[in-house]
Amino acid sequence: MAATIQDVAKAAGVSVGTVSRAMNNYPDISAKTRERILDVAKELKYRPNLVAKSLSSKHSRNIALILSGFLEDVMFNDFETMLMKGCYQFAIEHDLDISMYVINTKTQAEKSYEQLCYEHNIAGAVIFGLKNTDPYFKSLEESRKPCVTIDVEVSGENVSNVTNDHKAAFEELTQYLIDQGHRKIALVCGRENAAVTAQRMEGALSALHKNGLALPKELIIYTNFLKEEASEGVARFLKDGAGKDVTAFLCMSDMLAIGTIEALKMSGERVPQDYSVVGYDGLYVTEYTDPKITTVDQNIKDKGYEAANLLYDMIEGIRPAQDLILPHKLEIRDSVRQIDA
Amino acid sequence: MAATIQDVAKAAGVSVGTVSRAMNNYPDISAKTRERILDVAKELKYRPNLVAKSLSSKHSRNIALILSGFLEDVMFNDFETMLMKGCYQFAIEHDLDISMYVINTKTQAEKSYEQLCYEHNIAGAVIFGLKNTDPYFKSLEESRKPCVTIDVEVSGENVSNVTNDHKAAFEELTQYLIDQGHRKIALVCGRENAAVTAQRMEGALSALHKNGLALPKELIIYTNFLKEEASEGVARFLKDGAGKDVTAFLCMSDMLAIGTIEALKMSGERVPQDYSVVGYDGLYVTEYTDPKITTVDQNIKDKGYEAANLLYDMIEGIRPAQDLILPHKLEIRDSVRQIDA
DNA sequence: CTGAAAGCGCTAACAC
DNA sequence: GTGTTAGCGCTTTCAG
C-alpha cells in the first residue's frame, strides 16, 4: 500500500498534524521540521490522498467539465474536444483536477447539478451542451455551487456564462457575403431551441435588412445542426427550384456547411464557382475540406480556458458570476466567390 | 448543505448503519425498513457522498482515462475524442465514474501511475498516448493497480493492452494499392519510437515483398505523425525528383494522408488522377476531405469501449490481464486510382 | 511551534 | 434485522 500521513509522521517522529502543516506549506512550523518531513515524505514516496483531503477539508481542487449530450450526438464534432483542451490547459496551469461527466436530458432530471457536486466533492463546473428545454436550464438558477455555462444564458446567482457575440459575428459573416456581391442568400438554420440559433438568426436578419435585402421563408433550410439534414435540405431545395437565383448558402455551423457542400457537389455544382458557402464555429476540419471553408472562428479552446478561469475565480471569490463575451474572428478562406456587379 | 446519511437516519428513526444497508441493497434488512428509508432519502434528496464512500470502503467505482500528450499535440486529431466516447459509453452503461487525467513525459516522471491512483482512489485506468521512451512504459510493469494501454504493448502482471493487428491491417492496405496496379509506392512514415510505426512498417514490407516489390530508402518520407511534416516531406520529395514513377503514397495515418494530399494539390497534382493516397486510422475527417480518403478504420470508439470493459473486468477479477486485438476494416473511398496494366 | 483529538460521511465488523 | 462503533486519511481547532 501507499504511504499515508501516519507513516510519514511515524518516520519523521512528529504528529500527523505537523506533517499536514508541512505538506500544505503552513507558516506556523519551523523550517527545519518542515524540511525533515518533506525529506521523509519524498523518501517514502508519500502522496496525500486527495479523497481524504477533500472529505476532511470540505473543499477540493476538483472542478468538473460537464458535457450534456456528448454521447448522443449523431454527428461528430470537435467542439467538445477543443473546449476540453482549453479547460485542461487552465487546470494544469493551476494545479486543479478536472473530472468530466457526461449527462443528458434524462439524467439531468434524475440528479441535480448541486447533487452531482456534493456527490463528488466538486467545487464547481463548466457546463456545455445545455438546451433551453433541459432541466438544468432552470435548476441551475438556485444552485449554491458555482458554474459556468457555455453559449447558454442561464440566470442565477452562481452561474456565469461564457459565449461569443453570436449576433454580431453572424452579422459580420452575412455582411461579408453581401460585400462579395451576393444578394439572394439561403440560410441553413440550426436547432430551434438553441440560444445560438436565435442569436445568429438575428445577426443574419440585421445584416440583410441593413442592405435592403430580405429573407423569405422559402430560403430557409431547417436542421438540428446535423450535417445530414443540411445535405438533404439543400438537395431538396435545389430540386424544388426554391433556390432560383440563390448564389450563396449561409450556414449556422461548420458541419452544416460541410453538409451543404456535399449536397451541392452531389448535384454537380461547384463551390465556390456555382455557389458560395460559409460556415460558423471554426472547427479544425474546415481547413481540410475542399474548398477550405470561410467561417467565423469562435476560438473554442480559448473559450474553454476562459470558462475554467472564470469558474476558478468564482470559487475563490475573486470574481463574481458574470457573462463573458469572447472575441471571434472572421476566417476568410476559399468557399466564397466574388460576384461582379 | 446537502443531506447526509445522518440526516436520513435521524429522519427515518434508524441508525446510520441501517441506512447504509438500505442504500446499498444489502440483503440483511427488512423490506419495509428499506422502503421507509428509501422514501425518506428521496424526500431529503439524499445522495451518498461518493468521496466518503470510497474513503471508507477502500474501493471505488472510479476509473480514469489517462491521456498522455493531449495538450502537446500540435496537430489536431479526433483520436482521443473517439476513444473517450467509447470509454464513457461503457462507463455509463455500468454506472462507473471516469476521471480524465492529462499527463506528459515530464509529469510521468514526477508521479507514478500507482501514485496517481492512490491519490484519487482510482480503481484503474485506460492509458493512451504512451511513447516507448516514456517513464510509464517501464513503471507500469510493477503497478499493483490494473490498467489498459492502447496500442502500446507494456508487459506487467496488471497491464492489458488493446490494439489492432496493425501489421496485418497495413499489409492489407498496401496490398490494396498493389491490387489497383501501383508498383512504385512511397511510404509516409510515422514517429520512430512509436510501436505502431514499426508494426505498420512490417505490414508494408510484407505486402511489398510478397509481390516482389521493394521499398528503397529514398521512397520513405519520415515524420512524427504531423500533417505539416508530411506536406513538407512530400513537397520536397516531388521537387527532388526522388519520386519519379511513384504513383501512390502509402501513409501511416490519416493526418499524414491529409498533409500529403495538401502538398500534392499545392504542386498542381490531382488526387487520385495523378497520385493515389491512402491513410490509416479511420478519423471522421477523412470523409469530409476531397477526395474522401481510402483508409483503415480502427473503430477507435470500440477500442475505447473494449478497453474500459477489459479494465472493469480486471478490477472485478472477471478477466485477467491480457492483450486484446480488435478487428479493423479497410474503408475504400475515392483517393486511389486503378492503374491499367 | 507542535501534539492531541474531534470529525468529514460513509462502510463494515461486531454485538444483541 | 438492527444498533453501535471503529476506522478510512486527512484537516483543523484547541491546548500548551
Side-chain angles (χ1 to χ4, degrees), chain A residues 5 20 24 26 46 49 53 56:
Chain A
I5 199 171
S20 175
N24 294 292
Y26 276 37
Y46 167 67
N49 181 324
K53 198 164 174 165
S56 96

Side-chain angles (χ1 to χ4, degrees), chain B residues 5 20 24 26 46 49 53 56:
Chain B
I5 198 170
S20 177
N24 295 292
Y26 277 38
Y46 167 68
N49 181 325
K53 198 164 175 164
S56 99

Side-chain angles (χ1 to χ4, degrees), chain A residues 96-327:
Chain A
L96 297 175
D97 273 332
I98 300 191
S99 305
M100 237 179 66
Y101 297 97
V102 174
I103 61 172
N104 56 41
T105 302
K106 184 157 159 269
T107 61
Q108 280 181 38
E110 290 163 359
K111 177 163 61 178
S112 76
Y113 169 62
E114 253 190 305
Q115 284 180 314
L116 188 146
C117 286
Y118 283 123
E119 252 187 21
H120 297 92
N121 271 32
I122 283 167
V126 171
I127 306 180
F128 172 78
L130 287 192
K131 300 179 184 169
N132 285 350
T133 49
D134 274 347
Y136 268 28
F137 194 77
K138 295 193 145 186
S139 69
L140 246 33
E141 204 159 330
E142 300 152 359
S143 170
R144 276 155 300 179
K145 289 284 187 180
C147 66
V148 178
T149 57
I150 304 287
D151 281 337
V152 176
E153 211 169 330
V154 177
S155 52
E157 221 179 321
N158 294 307
V159 17
S160 286
N161 173 242
V162 171
T163 188
N164 295 94
D165 188 343
H166 293 297
K167 183 187 172 211
F170 212 72
E171 183 166 350
E172 242 172 80
L173 183 67
T174 309
Q175 185 62 52
Y176 171 73
L177 233 33
I178 297 171
D179 289 345
Q180 298 303 303
H182 297 275
R183 291 290 170 271
K184 199 154 179 197
I185 299 171
L187 180 70
V188 183
C189 202
R191 200 182 56 234
E192 204 188 339
N193 63 349
V196 294
T197 299
Q199 294 159 8
R200 291 170 201 177
M201 177 64 97
E202 275 187 65
L205 290 175
S206 172
L208 256 16
H209 291 166
K210 277 185 188 161
N211 291 272
L213 266 26
L215 181 63
K217 280 254 176 330
E218 61 271 20
L219 256 49
I220 303 180
I221 295 169
Y222 295 95
T223 77
N224 287 311
F225 277 128
L226 295 185
K227 175 173 85 73
E228 288 70 23
E229 296 169 332
S231 287
E232 290 159 23
V234 170
R236 215 177 315 116
F237 184 86
L238 291 175
K239 207 170 285 173
D240 280 2
K244 200 168 159 303
D245 303 331
V246 160
T247 59
F249 289 88
L250 174 58
C251 304
M252 285 206 184
S253 84
D254 286 335
M255 293 311 288
L256 293 181
I258 289 175
T260 298
I261 292 176
E262 221 168 82
L264 253 15
K265 285 186 178 175
M266 291 282 277
S267 299
E269 309 289 350
R270 294 162 307 162
V271 180
Q273 294 90 336
D274 301 321
Y275 288 100
S276 293
V277 177
V278 294
Y280 191 100
D281 278 343
L283 300 188
Y284 84 107
V285 51
T286 53
E287 290 211 62
Y288 305 155
T289 51
D290 185 64
K292 295 184 182 179
I293 299 174
T294 290
T295 186
V296 170
D297 190 352
Q298 299 191 39
N299 211 336
I300 305 166
K301 192 174 167 189
D302 264 20
K303 234 161 143 171
Y305 188 93
E306 292 304 331
N309 197 346
L310 177 52
L311 177 65
Y312 181 73
D313 289 352
M314 288 169 71
I315 292 169
E316 299 290 319
I318 300 172
R319 276 192 280 175
Q322 62 196 265
D323 289 355
L324 221 58
I325 296 174
L326 265 29

Side-chain angles (χ1 to χ4, degrees), chain B residues 131-309:
Chain B
K131 300 178 183 168
N132 285 350
T133 51
D134 274 347
Y136 269 28
F137 193 77
K138 293 194 147 188
S139 69
L140 245 35
E141 203 158 332
E142 299 153 0
S143 169
R144 275 155 300 177
K145 288 284 187 179
C147 66
V148 178
T149 57
I150 304 287
D151 280 337
V152 176
E153 210 168 332
V154 177
S155 51
E157 220 179 322
N158 295 306
V159 17
S160 286
N161 173 241
V162 172
T163 188
N164 295 94
D165 188 342
H166 293 296
K167 183 187 173 211
F170 212 73
E171 183 167 349
E172 240 173 81
L173 183 66
T174 309
Q175 186 62 52
Y176 171 73
L177 232 33
I178 296 171
D179 289 344
Q180 298 304 301
H182 297 275
R183 291 290 171 271
K184 199 156 178 195
I185 299 172
L187 180 70
V188 184
C189 201
R191 199 180 61 233
E192 205 188 338
N193 63 350
V196 293
T197 298
Q199 293 159 9
R200 291 170 201 177
M201 177 64 97
E202 274 187 67
L205 290 175
S206 172
L208 255 17
H209 291 166
K210 277 185 188 162
N211 292 271
L213 267 24
L215 180 64
K217 279 256 176 330
E218 61 272 19
L219 256 47
I220 303 181
I221 295 170
Y222 295 95
T223 77
N224 288 310
F225 277 127
L226 295 185
K227 175 174 84 74
E228 289 70 22
E229 297 169 331
S231 288
E232 290 160 22
V234 170
R236 215 178 314 116
F237 184 86
L238 290 176
K239 208 170 284 173
D240 281 4
K244 200 169 159 301
D245 301 333
V246 160
T247 58
F249 289 88
L250 174 59
C251 304
M252 284 206 184
S253 85
D254 286 334
M255 293 311 288
L256 293 180
I258 289 174
T260 298
I261 292 176
E262 221 168 81
L264 252 16
K265 285 186 178 175
M266 291 283 276
S267 300
E269 309 288 351
R270 294 161 307 163
V271 179
Q273 294 88 337
D274 301 320
Y275 288 99
S276 292
V277 177
V278 294
Y280 191 99
D281 277 344
L283 300 188
Y284 84 107
V285 52
T286 52
E287 288 212 63
Y288 305 156
T289 50
D290 185 64
K292 295 185 182 180
I293 300 174
T294 290
T295 186
V296 170
D297 190 352
Q298 299 190 39
N299 210 335
I300 305 167
K301 193 175 168 188
D302 264 20
K303 236 162 142 169
Y305 188 93
E306 292 304 331
N309 196 346

